[in-house]
């Protein structure tokens, strides 16, 4: 992780939901190096358990999770199934990069979409933007980031 992004997420609590152990480790390493406290869930049910008992500043969710899709979790969060968390920023980090996947993620409540593979600094910057917007009361902004780094 580049020195320039270190400490940029100091004090943030992040829930990362992804079934791939390598992706989980990469997310954990990048985010903790940037100063965040990170909890990782490999299944939607595990993410639910974290959301029921812990507070998070942002939730990163993969779409293609065996058993229950990440879309189910996005919808449950936005419907208010976890008290006080219906407006938490939701960043989809996924290899599902077709337009229909992005559209469905956004319709399900995602604030932003980052395609895998991603650049660590782009991940950190997306998290910063979403958490700052949320703190300022404007997390409803939506941006989709392509694998090549351009915003749509």
């Amino acid at each position: 992780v580049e020195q320039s992004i270190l400490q940029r997420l100091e004090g943030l609590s992040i829930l990362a939901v992804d079934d791939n152990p390598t992706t989980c480790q990469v997310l954990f390493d990048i985010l903790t190096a940037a100063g965040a406290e990170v909890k990782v869930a490999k299944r939607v049910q595990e993410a639910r358990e974290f959301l029921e008992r812990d507070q998070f500043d942002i939730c990163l969710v993969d779409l293609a999770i065996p058993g229950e899709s990440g879309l189910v979790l996005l919808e449950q969060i936005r419907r208010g199934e976890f008290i006080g968390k219906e407006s938490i920023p939701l960043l989809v980090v996924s290899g599902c990069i077709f337009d229909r996947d992005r559209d469905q993620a956004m319709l399900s409540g995602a604030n932003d979409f980052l395609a895998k593979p991603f650049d660590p600094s782009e991940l950190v910057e997306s998290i910063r933007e979403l958490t700052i917007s949320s703190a300022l009361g404007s997390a409803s902004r939506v941006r989709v980031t392509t694998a090549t780094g351009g915003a749509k």
Side-chain angles (χ1 to χ4, degrees):
V1 178
E2 296 174 23
Q3 184 65 30
S4 63
I5 67 168
L6 294 178
Q7 306 307 316
R8 293 181 56 188
L9 301 178
E10 193 68 43
L12 290 182
S13 179
I14 300 173
L15 174 61
V17 187
D18 197 302
D19 64 300
N20 183 297
T22 302
T23 301
C24 289
Q25 190 62 55
V26 168
L27 288 169
F28 183 85
D29 291 347
I30 291 168
L31 300 173
T32 56
E37 233 182 80
V38 181
K39 293 201 176 164
V40 176
K42 293 185 173 99
R43 298 277 183 253
V44 170
Q45 180 56 40
E46 187 180 4
R48 277 193 203 100
E49 292 167 10
F50 279 128
L51 286 163
E52 287 171 359
R53 71 173 183 259
D54 299 323
Q55 286 298 116
F56 297 99
D57 296 298
I58 188 167
C59 187
L60 313 183
V61 182
D62 185 19
L63 297 181
I65 300 173
E68 284 184 281
S69 162
L71 291 172
V72 171
L73 183 62
L74 296 175
E75 292 167 355
Q76 290 174 333
I77 292 169
R78 288 297 182 240
R79 276 197 311 262
E81 292 188 23
F82 307 99
I83 296 170
K85 297 185 176 85
E86 55 278 343
S87 63
I88 187 174
L90 300 173
L91 173 60
V92 170
V93 181
S94 183
C96 300
I97 59 170
F98 294 110
D99 285 342
R100 64 181 157 75
D101 297 316
R102 289 186 181 128
D103 292 345
Q104 188 60 45
M106 300 321 240
L107 288 171
S108 296
N111 297 94
D112 203 350
F113 189 108
L114 188 61
K116 293 177 189 173
F118 53 83
D119 178 88
S121 60
E122 190 174 12
L123 173 68
V124 171
E125 190 56 35
S126 291
I127 292 169
R128 281 181 49 78
E129 287 178 17
L130 286 171
T131 54
I132 289 169
S133 293
S134 177
L136 296 173
S138 58
S140 61
R141 92 146 177 63
V142 172
R143 186 182 73 164
V144 176
T145 307
T146 64
T148 58
K152 280 182 137 182

